[in-house]
Amino acid sequence: MTHLGLAIALQLLAPAHVLPDGVVERGVQVTAYDDQLEIRYLVGLNDATLALKLAELLPDQTPPIDPQQALDLYRQRILSELASGLTVLLDDQPQTIQPVETRRGTLHHVQLECVYHVPLPPGGQLMRLELLDRNFAADPGNHRMAAKGRGDVQLDDCSVPPILARVPLLAFDQLPAATAAESRRVEATIRRPGAAPAAVLPVAEVERAAADEPLAATE
């Protein structure tokens, strides 16, 4: 993702005000490619909440007082920590989630984007995808999930919108239990292009297809 794309994604995640203490904004964007899934996990929280979360991650250490040092330490730990709270199933089989990197963007509060890859097995045009997010389960704040395919890959019967901008902002802690559980889950069928080679048309069919092609516009 480009820096411009990251900035847009973070703006979509965050409301235009300073977050209250204890609130964690999160958004999960899943993108299916032909050979892998990309998971982008967006996190927004203020400095006080960052210090609290860092203390939870490192109970035997005193968190740094300096906000920048605290953020740097949190970035070192959050990538693997969030991965442990994600479950990805393909056709009911658990998959390995590969941490890639953590990026930072700042609007009105600390913003982090953690990127993960999940390799897709070769072969098979259809696979059932299930993704469950168990992170920040006890924290108030908006939790949004979105999933889409790229290129020739499609997601059929997807339970969430394709992009985070289309997901309504609903405070996770104010949702009914059943709705809250569904808001943390993605289900879809991944449809990839077939691996069979293209059929070779007879010469007459090729000439007929060429004749049916519209002429390219010329200036």
Side-chain angles (χ1 to χ4, degrees):
M1 170 181 272
T2 65
H3 292 295
L4 175 60
L6 171 58
I8 293 174
L10 292 173
Q11 290 180 35
L12 294 175
L13 172 67
H17 61 271
V18 176
L19 289 177
D21 292 352
V23 170
V24 180
E25 297 287 296
R26 52 269 198 194
V28 181
Q29 176 70 61
V30 181
T31 304
Y33 295 88
D34 187 58
D35 60 344
Q36 68 180 12
L37 298 176
E38 179 189 69
I39 301 171
R40 293 189 292 111
Y41 201 118
L42 307 173
V43 179
L45 67 175
N46 67 15
D47 289 339
T49 307
L50 172 63
L52 177 63
K53 291 300 174 187
L54 193 55
E56 292 176 358
L57 287 176
L58 306 170
D60 298 329
Q61 298 184 29
T62 301
I65 298 178
D66 179 71
Q68 184 58 53
Q69 293 180 0
L71 176 61
D72 291 341
L73 185 56
Y74 190 65
R75 288 180 63 182
Q76 296 174 16
R77 297 296 301 269
I78 191 63
L79 189 63
S80 59
E81 187 71 20
L82 290 182
S84 66
L86 293 171
T87 298
V88 176
L89 303 177
L90 293 175
D91 291 335
D92 298 323
Q93 298 301 312
Q95 302 298 306
T96 300
I97 300 174
Q98 302 174 348
V100 178
E101 63 177 328
T102 303
R103 305 162 180 161
R104 183 190 176 190
T106 301
L107 293 175
H108 304 280
H109 46 263
V110 175
Q111 303 268 356
L112 295 174
E113 181 190 52
C114 298
V115 182
Y116 306 92
H117 289 164
V118 178
L120 295 181
Q125 296 184 20
L126 297 178
M127 285 183 295
R128 188 61 183 170
L129 165 67
E130 295 180 59
L131 184 148
L132 176 63
D133 178 21
R134 301 182 304 280
N135 294 294
F136 305 112
D139 296 301
N142 296 304
H143 187 290
R144 297 187 289 170
M145 303 190 78
K148 62 182 179 180
R150 289 295 298 269
D152 294 330
V153 180
Q154 300 179 15
L155 293 186
D156 297 340
D157 302 322
C158 189
S159 62
V160 297
I163 57 176
L164 290 176
R166 299 184 186 178
V167 183
L169 288 172
L170 298 173
F172 174 75
D173 57 310
Q174 298 177 12
L175 296 175
T179 305
E182 288 301 313
S183 73
R184 303 172 67 85
R185 180 185 299 274
V186 173
E187 295 184 355
T189 297
I190 303 174
R191 182 184 296 274
R192 293 186 291 174
V200 178
L201 294 176
V203 174
E205 293 292 335
V206 173
E207 292 175 347
R208 185 180 302 114
D212 291 338
E213 284 292 319
L215 295 178
T218 58
E219 296 184 358

